[in-house]
Amino acid sequence: MAKHYDVAVIGAGAAGMMCAAVAGGRGKRVVLLDHAGRLAEKIRISGGGRCNFTNVNAGPANFLSENPNFCRSALSRYTPQDFLGLVKKHRIAYHEKHKGQLFCDDSSEQIIGMLRAECQQGEVAWRMPCKIGAIEKTDTGFLVTAEGGDISCDSVVVATGGLSIPKIGATDLGYRIAKQFDMGIVEPRPGLVPLTFDGPSWEAFAPLAGIALEVEVSTGGGKGKGKGGKGKSGGHFREDLLFTHRGLSGPAILQISSYWQPGTPIVLDLLPEMDVAEELISSKTTVKKQLGNVLAQWLPARLAEGLLIANGFAPDARLADMADAKLRKLGDAINRWAIVPTGSEGYKKAEVTLGGVDTRELSQQTMMANKVPGLYFIGETVDVTGWLGGYNFQWAWASGYVAGSSV
């Protein structure tokens, strides 16, 4: 005989544990299943081990989806302040770092411990590690074939995450379950991921690995200084950029990668506070320096030299000898450097997965599948993806809370 529960939650990550805790707190009999032997590895490694657990500014504009309004309901019903209330209840010390990002003072293990304690309070049963076999719809609910014995339940919540970071156990189980029930999937791809470049256009920059600076980056028509992208097509961010051996990384690139479409350029402004062409032209009569030395006042010297060589300028050429038209070309190369990535570092380095279960298949009030009563999808499995900086955890908490309140 299969053991009966009210709710089976598949996936014991951020969204799954939140959902199980909330449902258990309502008196539901909940079982939480996960194929991993170690609990919530993605929480554990987040924020350099200190877990960037939310962002005080989180709102619908900070998320990408084919259906951008879908996330509004959940985010309004469970806010960053609500999660902060839970953090304070468990006396976890935290701090705000940058642009509303909140981190534990001590360790991400505290967030895992807090969620585990909330689950225990709701008398949630655990099965870990536990391989999931088939999920079958029955007349009374669902039958889940699982290691350690089958489970019958009224509701199934799928919180299995996406494909990012396979070395800590990411799988496509959530998508397979959705397809089994004829639900649409928005094509998954890596998000918040370093971008790669190769070929002759990158040769001058390959030796610059390790150089970092604050830049503005845009793609696909994003507008507004320092703003995030509007809609799914355009993004614009002001963040730190890092040159790597294979291309570009750092928060600026991770952010823009979610908006970037293969074959299209990203545009970098390496000196966002300055009109480089105007500055160079107006300095011609008073500055007797070489071009390389002038640029090195504003940019890291190795980067200044690399940019000059890549754009056909001799670093030892004198500024005073340069035609205005040439200096405008150089200014454009620094303030509007358009470059087409050849790819990304893929799921192995991606912090999140874009795409997933099509939100048009789900109720935004409950996260339940419209066509399959009792079947819910939450967290990263769903086509809702946040910016870098605690936003994806806030979606996990909010979608988990909504489903946990509804099952």
Side-chain angles (χ1 to χ4, degrees), residues 66-386:
E66 290 276 321
N67 180 14
N69 287 318
F70 178 83
C71 63
R72 286 183 181 277
S73 178
L75 291 171
S76 66
R77 285 167 61 196
Y78 195 84
T79 67
Q81 291 305 319
D82 290 321
F83 190 75
L84 211 44
L86 198 56
V87 168
K88 288 173 180 172
K89 172 185 155 188
H90 287 261
R91 299 184 178 176
I92 297 170
Y94 67 92
H95 59 279
E96 185 175 333
K97 211 167 171 182
H98 173 65
K99 297 185 177 178
Q101 299 170 14
L102 299 186
F103 290 77
C104 298
D105 283 0
D106 184 14
S107 164
S108 54
E109 295 284 357
Q110 294 174 291
I111 298 295
I112 298 171
M114 175 188 84
L115 293 165
R116 190 196 281 115
E118 289 288 316
C119 285
Q120 283 168 349
Q121 200 174 325
E123 297 182 5
V124 172
W126 295 80
R127 283 218 201 161
M128 283 184 70
C130 172
K131 286 199 177 75
I132 308 296
I135 296 176
E136 186 186 327
K137 188 84 175 81
T138 66
D139 293 340
T140 55
F142 297 86
L143 183 67
V144 180
T145 307
E147 214 171 11
D150 294 353
I151 291 165
S152 73
C153 54
D154 303 327
S155 303
V156 170
V157 182
V158 181
T160 50
L163 300 172
S164 49
I165 326 183
K167 71 179 180 189
I168 62 168
T171 75
D172 66 347
L173 177 60
Y175 310 143
R176 283 188 273 126
I177 295 169
K179 284 174 183 170
Q180 177 191 332
F181 290 99
D182 295 322
M183 295 172 65
I185 303 284
V186 174
E187 187 65 34
R189 63 188 180 92
L192 301 181
V193 64
L195 297 175
T196 56
F197 302 81
D198 54 35
S201 65
W202 193 250
E203 277 172 19
F205 305 103
L208 303 181
I211 289 176
L213 68 162
E214 188 180 64
V215 303
E216 283 192 2
V217 60
S218 60
T219 191
K223 301 290 182 191
K225 286 275 183 186
K227 298 279 173 63
K230 302 295 179 195
K232 66 183 181 188
S233 59
H236 188 120
F237 296 91
R238 184 160 180 168
E239 292 276 8
D240 287 344
L241 171 81
L242 173 69
F243 285 81
T244 70
H245 292 290
R246 289 166 48 83
L248 295 173
S249 187
I253 297 301
L254 298 187
Q255 293 281 40
I256 210 66
S257 71
S258 294
Y259 290 84
W260 173 70
Q261 296 295 329
T264 63
I266 61 170
V267 180
L268 293 162
D269 184 348
L270 301 178
L271 286 168
E273 298 291 345
M274 179 187 293
D275 185 325
V276 174
E278 289 305 314
E279 194 72 30
L280 290 171
I281 290 165
S282 65
S283 301
K284 271 172 67 170
T285 53
T286 55
V287 175
K288 305 300 180 191
K289 291 180 178 177
Q290 297 174 340
L291 261 182
N293 292 335
V294 174
L295 286 189
Q297 297 174 127
W298 309 323
L299 291 166
R302 282 195 300 142
L303 176 56
E305 185 177 337
L307 283 165
L308 287 167
I309 292 168
N311 288 283
F313 292 86
D316 58 358
R318 287 188 344 126
L319 174 62
D321 298 338
M322 302 299 297
D324 288 4
K326 281 209 149 196
L327 293 177
R328 285 200 178 89
K329 181 191 166 197
L330 179 57
D332 265 358
I334 294 170
N335 285 136
R336 284 169 289 280
W337 180 22
I339 186 163
V340 180
T342 49
S344 79
E345 292 285 5
Y347 288 118
K348 68 180 186 292
K349 293 281 181 71
E351 296 202 9
V352 292
T353 304
L354 292 155
V357 175
D358 193 328
T359 56
R360 285 165 289 220
E361 301 274 12
L362 304 173
S363 158
Q364 61 180 310
Q365 278 78 34
T366 65
M367 306 300 293
M368 188 173 78
N370 299 323
K371 293 188 291 204
V372 192
L375 180 64
Y376 298 73
F377 291 83
I378 59 174
E380 197 182 339
T381 314
V382 176
D383 174 36
V384 175
T385 306

